[in-house]
């Protein structure tokens, strides 16, 4: 009985094949991106008069294209899967199309121009992405906009999405989670530099400065004293040591007239620190002569944040970075990673000081935040909540809002005396508006130069104590005509600060040069 039913089924198929002929299917992609198919009979395929245009005109979904093109017969074009233009006046057999071939219909006018502009923009975007620097390549993601476009395209073709499609979509989004530790274990801030910065920040709000120092390796437990090593003593392990940042001086950008007008914004200072300029080149040059590198930045928050923290019932409320400060700190770190390498440039800290009372906290920015900044995903904001261009995953959910707290790594902050700060004067040795030497500093330097010329056996300690100041050296570099003289002064100052005071002595010729530029 079962075999009889199968026999009748095959007879029905054979009869249907004789009536309809061998089916020939073409898959058509419309200008809007949707896919369709048409079934062509065998006799229609063998008819030489049945051109590809005539076959498409017999189907309602494509007849509208033909009816709208009565005035212009070439309002749309037909391409194969390789985007090669086909002659629609020929038949299917003449075109060499096979069963299951894919054709694309695109408009010659609007769709063509849009496709050209979109392809040009995509090439430009690809060029920008390739040329851009990736601070953390392992965290880099594909273009999330392209992922959203692919998903929207899939929705038109099928109604149900698999779990793998959703996972593939979320794989293109950044996952933001609190980062426990960073490359730096603690920060040693120069007390004199912090006091000077607080003094200027109390007068001029939203002050910023560049931290110059060194990265060193020391024991995690500083209270533990080093024991006398014997043959039976165990060797210290790498886990017992950590990397720390020691800030020896800071550099505050000079406040110009245009910058002093915009008191509510730090964009002028930010552009000054990020964009290459002659002043920034001189800062990096003097720092390299002294063995220093930019290892962070510090900024003074406005009084509104301080008032909010005072009004809060919780006395342990910590200061956080606003969205604009978080993005700017990430941009500075990216700049250092480009100049010094990814590993060394990632050792970068951000310090925020309360302008009212001088309370300071240290942070490190998480790796995923720095990577998102390099990709242009984060929007700077004046609050701690940032908006993103693309979706990100926070707590397993897709969102376009990010709290800056999730991007910060709390870092211990300690105090010490920096090596390149004049400890005799707690006030700045240069003018805040121009960066030139103050009249008091000029008189002190001139007096020290004259005293050392009178005393033949002098070790120039009084002069070195004044020259051992980064802003002073930067101001003298602008006055000195020869760079070798600046390099000699920095070499002697660096030697004197490291305890080699006997061999550090400024030549008579260099003293005469200093006297001439100080008196002019």
């Amino acid at each position: 009985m079962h075999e009889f039913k199968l026999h009748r089924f095959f007879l029905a198929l054979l009869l249907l094949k004789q009536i309809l002929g061998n089916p020939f299917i073409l898959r058509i992609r419309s200008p809007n991106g949707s896919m369709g198919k048409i079934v062509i009979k065998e006799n229609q395929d063998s008819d030489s008069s049945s051109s590809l245009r005539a076959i498409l005109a017999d189907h309602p979904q494509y007849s509208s294209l033909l009816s709208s093109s009565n005035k212009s017969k070439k309002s749309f074009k037909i391409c194969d899967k390789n985007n090669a233009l086909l002659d629609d006046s020929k038949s299917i057999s003449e075109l060499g199309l096979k069963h299951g071939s894919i054709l694309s219909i695109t408009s010659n006018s609007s769709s063509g121009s849009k496709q050209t502009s979109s392809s040009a923009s995509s090439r430009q975007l690809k060029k920008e992405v390739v040329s851009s620097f990736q601070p953390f390549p392992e965290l880099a993601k594909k273009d999330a906009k392209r992922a959203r476009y692919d998903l929207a395209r899939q929705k038109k073709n099928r109604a149900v999405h698999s779990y793998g499609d959703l996972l593939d979509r979320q794989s293109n989004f950044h996952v933001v989670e609190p980062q426990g530790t960073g490359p730096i274990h603690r920060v040693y801030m120069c007390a004199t530099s912090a006091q000077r910065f607080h003094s200027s920040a109390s007068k001029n709000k939203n002050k910023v400065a560049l931290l110059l120092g060194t990265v060193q390796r020391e024991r995690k437990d500083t209270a533990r004293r080093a024991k006398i090593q014997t043959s039976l003593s165990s060797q210290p392990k790498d886990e017992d040591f950590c990397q720390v940042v020691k800030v020896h001086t800071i550099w505050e950008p000079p406040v110009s007239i245009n910058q002093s007008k915009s008191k509510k914004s730090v964009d002028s200072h930010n552009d000054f620190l990020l964009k290459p300029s002659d002043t920034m080149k001189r800062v990096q040059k003097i720092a390299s002569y002294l063995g220093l590198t930019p290892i962070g930045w510090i900024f003074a928050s406005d009084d509104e944040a301080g008032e909010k923290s005072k009004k809060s019932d919780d006395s342990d409320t910590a200061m956080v970075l606003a969205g604009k400060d978080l993005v700017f700190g990430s941009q500075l770190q990216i700049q250092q990673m480009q100049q010094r390498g990814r590993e060394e440039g990632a050792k970068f800290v951000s310090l925020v000081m309360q302008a009212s009372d001088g309370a300071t906290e240290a942070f490190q920015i998480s790796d995923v935040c720095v990577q998102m900044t390099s990709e242009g995903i984060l929007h700077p904001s004046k609050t701690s909540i940032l908006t993103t261009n693309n979706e990100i995953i926070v707590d397993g959910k897709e969102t376009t809002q990010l709290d800056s707290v999730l991007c910060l790594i709390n870092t211990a902050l300690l105090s010490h005396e920096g090596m390149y700060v004049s400890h005799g004067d707690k006030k700045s040795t240069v003018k805040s508006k121009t960066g030139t030497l103050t009249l008091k500093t000029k008189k002190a330097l001139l007096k020290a130069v004259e005293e050392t010329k009178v005393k033949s056996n002098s070790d120039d300690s009084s002069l070195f104590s004044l020259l051992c100041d980064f802003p002073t050296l930067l101001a003298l570099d602008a006055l000195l005509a020869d760079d070798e003289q600046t390099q000699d002064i920095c070499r002697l100052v660096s030697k004197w600060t490291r305890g080699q005071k006997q061999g550090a002595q400024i030549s008579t010729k260099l003293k005469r040069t200093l006297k001439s530029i100080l008196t002019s």
Side-chain angles (χ1 to χ4, degrees), residues 12-23:
L13 287 178
L14 182 61
L15 181 62
L16 183 63
K17 181 178 180 181
Q18 292 178 355
I19 297 174
L20 299 178
N22 292 325

Side-chain angles (χ1 to χ4, degrees), residues 19-22 40-50:
I19 297 174
L20 299 178
N22 292 325
I40 304 172
K41 298 179 182 179
E42 184 179 7
N43 55 359
Q44 188 177 9
D45 182 18
S46 60
D47 189 2
S48 60
S49 62
S50 299

Side-chain angles (χ1 to χ4, degrees), residues 31-67:
N32 59 2
S34 61
M35 291 292 295
K37 66 179 181 179
I38 58 175
V39 180
I40 304 172
K41 298 179 182 179
E42 184 179 7
N43 55 359
Q44 188 177 9
D45 182 18
S46 60
D47 189 2
S48 60
S49 62
S50 299
S51 62
L52 181 60
R53 175 186 286 271
I55 294 174
L56 293 176
D58 293 339
H59 293 77
Q61 62 267 35
Y62 308 117
S63 61
S64 59
L65 295 175
L66 295 176
S67 61

Side-chain angles (χ1 to χ4, degrees), residues 103-359:
L103 303 179
S104 300
I105 301 178
T106 58
S107 176
N108 280 336
S109 57
S110 60
S111 300
S113 60
K114 289 181 180 179
Q115 185 178 7
T116 304
S117 61
S118 62
S119 60
S121 61
S122 63
R123 287 194 300 266
Q124 183 179 4
L125 178 62
K126 184 177 180 181
K127 184 178 180 181
E128 292 177 357
V129 171
V130 171
S131 61
S132 61
F133 176 75
Q134 299 291 343
F136 298 97
E138 65 277 5
L139 299 178
K141 300 293 183 180
K142 297 180 180 179
D143 188 8
K145 293 182 180 180
R146 174 62 59 181
R148 288 200 304 269
Y149 173 75
D150 294 340
L151 186 65
R153 218 172 144 185
Q154 291 175 6
K155 288 182 180 179
K156 295 182 180 180
N157 300 332
R158 51 182 180 175
V160 181
H161 298 280
S162 63
Y163 185 69
D165 295 334
L166 297 178
L167 289 179
D168 183 65
R169 164 186 164 87
Q170 291 188 352
S171 64
N172 296 320
F173 298 153
H174 287 279
V175 180
V176 181
E177 296 176 346
Q179 185 174 337
T181 58
I184 302 301
H185 192 74
R186 50 178 165 260
V187 181
Y188 292 91
M189 179 62 188
C190 176
T192 305
S193 299
Q195 187 174 356
R196 289 182 181 179
F197 183 77
H198 177 248
S199 177
S200 60
S202 59
K203 300 176 183 178
N204 185 12
K205 297 179 181 179
N206 297 325
K207 204 60 176 165
V208 296
L210 193 65
L211 304 180
L212 301 173
T214 57
V215 179
Q216 299 180 5
R217 187 170 178 263
E218 67 178 21
R219 285 184 175 271
K220 292 183 179 180
D221 188 6
T222 56
R224 180 181 177 183
R225 296 182 178 179
K227 298 181 180 179
I228 300 176
Q229 296 290 332
T230 62
S231 59
L232 299 178
S233 302
S234 59
Q235 297 295 328
K237 301 179 181 179
D238 293 337
E239 294 79 6
D240 299 334
F241 294 90
C242 64
Q243 290 183 329
V244 299
V245 161
K246 290 191 175 182
V247 181
H248 293 290
T249 186
I250 66 173
W251 175 71
E252 301 179 29
V255 182
S256 62
I257 298 176
N258 295 330
Q259 293 172 350
S260 61
K261 290 181 180 179
S262 58
K263 295 182 179 179
K264 297 182 180 180
S265 176
V266 297
D267 293 339
S268 56
H269 283 310
N270 292 0
D271 294 339
F272 198 85
L273 290 178
L274 287 173
K275 294 181 179 179
S277 61
D278 295 337
T279 306
M280 284 300 300
K281 291 180 181 179
R282 292 197 299 110
V283 170
Q284 296 177 357
K285 179 186 67 174
I286 300 299
S288 63
Y289 290 163
L290 299 175
L292 305 177
T293 54
I295 43 82
W297 74 297
I298 183 173
F299 73 98
S301 61
D302 54 3
D303 292 336
E304 295 180 359
E307 291 176 359
K308 290 181 181 179
S309 62
K310 290 179 181 178
K311 291 180 181 179
S312 178
D313 297 334
D314 188 4
S315 59
D316 295 334
T317 301
M319 293 179 288
V320 296
L321 273 70
K324 58 183 180 64
D325 303 320
L326 186 68
V327 173
F328 176 61
S330 301
Q331 291 174 347
L332 278 177
Q333 180 173 336
I334 294 172
Q335 186 183 62
Q336 293 302 314
M337 295 177 73
Q338 286 180 299
Q339 296 176 359
R340 300 162 50 201
R342 288 186 173 91
E343 184 177 356
E344 294 297 325
K347 301 170 185 178
F348 198 83
V349 295
S350 299
L351 272 65
V352 52
M353 175 183 287
Q354 195 65 47
S356 57
D357 55 3

